[in-house]
Amino acid sequence: MRIDLHSHSSASDGTQPPADVVRRARERGLDVLALTDHDTVAGHSAAIEALPGGLTLVPGMELSCRRAGQSIHLLAYLFDPAEPELEAECVRIREARELRGRLTVERLAELGVPVTWEQVSELAAGGPVGRPHIARAMVAAGAIATPELAFTPEWIGSGGRAYVTRYALNPERAVRLVRAAGGVPVLAHPKAAKRGKVVPDEWIAELAAAGLFGVEADHLDHDADARAHLRRLAAELGLTVTGSSDDHGELTGHRLGCETTAAEVYERLIAEATGATPIMSQSP
């Protein structure tokens, strides 16, 4: 069984519509895919409607968190999306994301980059505006050659000339909110050094005490040493280890299934969830 528990669609900052994501997942030989757009479940219904035969969809989300100024991402699986407190926090995060986007576009204009809010919104296709959308607009404007070049101190990388901070959840609170909604929380790419997103072991231990289920160790942003370290830490803390592509379509090179999760971990995840269940295709 091939299981990928982290993917994005155009409902957040991926480039492909949800229907295309699930189709590509099956074409890549996946049996299970989690759709985990940032702070939204808006893509789930379209993904379910287009679910191809042989593919199971795990409804999920990637929650924006922050501690001591550091961005942290929490994957949430099989939660009740109508749970009032979690739903309210997601709305607040999305509103803050839009405000941040508008302010970022204004700062870029001050720096001479001819990007407009209308261009960025069109790229977001009705979903929450994220920095990847702004990066793509910067490429279209000729300011940079590739989207990756936007995420530097020169532009919209953390602390950059056009960087704007925004509201995000405290990660311990986020873990508890996901659990209260019947979901299962996993810490996304916690040792992604090249992104500047290295979560200290002490913080991971605190999240484990709050109810964290696992850590995403097998991720392309983790080298062999980071993966081995996370496996040792997970064993010490009683956490599971997952693997995922974190696919964003064209932005990441259509890499669905490049990293996968073990079947026994997936079965444990399902067993712990009470907010929702995986959705199996009704197609032959």
Side-chain angles (χ1 to χ4, degrees):
M1 184 180 288
R2 300 193 66 232
I3 303 160
D4 186 342
L5 293 179
H6 189 170
S7 69
H8 296 271
S9 76
S10 57
S12 63
D13 59 350
T15 61
Q16 310 306 125
D20 193 41
V21 174
V22 294
R23 177 183 61 79
R24 287 175 180 269
R26 191 56 186 152
E27 289 176 354
R28 295 294 296 267
L30 287 171
D31 302 291
V32 178
L33 178 73
L35 183 60
T36 51
D37 281 309
H38 292 283
D39 311 306
T40 184
V41 298
H44 289 180
S45 58
I48 293 167
E49 185 175 341
L51 202 58
L55 184 68
T56 296
L57 181 72
V58 176
M61 178 169 60
E62 188 171 13
L63 274 170
S64 300
C65 304
R66 182 173 290 108
R67 177 173 175 177
Q70 180 171 330
S71 175
I72 297 172
H73 290 175
L74 185 75
L75 293 162
Y77 304 108
L78 299 174
F79 54 90
D80 176 3
E83 198 285 321
E85 192 171 1
L86 179 59
E87 184 180 25
E89 283 294 342
C90 288
V91 170
R92 183 179 179 187
I93 292 170
R94 292 196 299 271
E95 290 174 346
R97 188 185 291 274
E98 178 172 339
L99 177 60
R100 193 260 302 264
R102 290 181 179 275
L103 292 174
T104 300
V105 168
E106 289 177 8
R107 290 192 181 184
L108 287 171
E110 292 169 0
L111 294 169
V113 179
V115 169
T116 68
W117 178 249
E118 289 71 25
Q119 290 171 320
V120 173
S121 297
E122 185 176 350
L123 288 170
V129 169
R131 286 186 297 166
H133 300 119
I134 296 173
R136 289 163 61 192
M138 291 174 68
V139 171
I144 52 177
T146 65
E148 294 79 12
L149 295 176
F151 297 92
T152 65
E154 185 177 2
W155 297 115
I156 61 173
S158 182
R161 294 187 300 163
Y163 178 77
V164 178
T165 191
R166 65 177 173 85
Y167 172 75
L169 278 163
N170 172 279
E172 285 188 50
R173 180 162 179 255
V175 166
R176 293 190 173 96
L177 283 174
V178 172
R179 286 294 192 181
V184 182
V186 170
L187 189 60
H189 41 69
K191 299 294 181 181
K194 62 184 179 181
R195 292 195 197 188
K197 294 181 178 179
V198 176
V199 182
D201 290 354
E202 295 79 9
W203 293 6
I204 297 176
E206 291 170 11
L207 294 177
L212 188 69
F213 174 77
V215 290
E216 186 183 50
D218 293 328
H219 187 286
L220 288 182
D221 283 350
H222 292 159
D223 60 20
D225 288 342
R227 296 179 190 219
H229 177 81
L230 283 168
R231 279 179 161 75
R232 289 192 298 270
L233 182 63
E236 292 172 8
L237 297 175
L239 299 173
T240 62
V241 168
T242 68
S244 314
S245 66
D246 195 4
D247 178 72
H248 285 68
E250 292 177 15
L251 285 178
T252 52
H254 293 294
R255 65 191 193 189
L256 285 167
C258 67
E259 303 281 358
T260 57
T261 294
E264 56 267 26
V265 173
Y266 173 60
E267 295 298 334
R268 284 183 60 187
L269 187 154
I270 294 172
E272 289 208 10
T274 59
T277 57
I279 298 161
M280 298 183 183
S281 172
Q282 301 304 309
S283 301

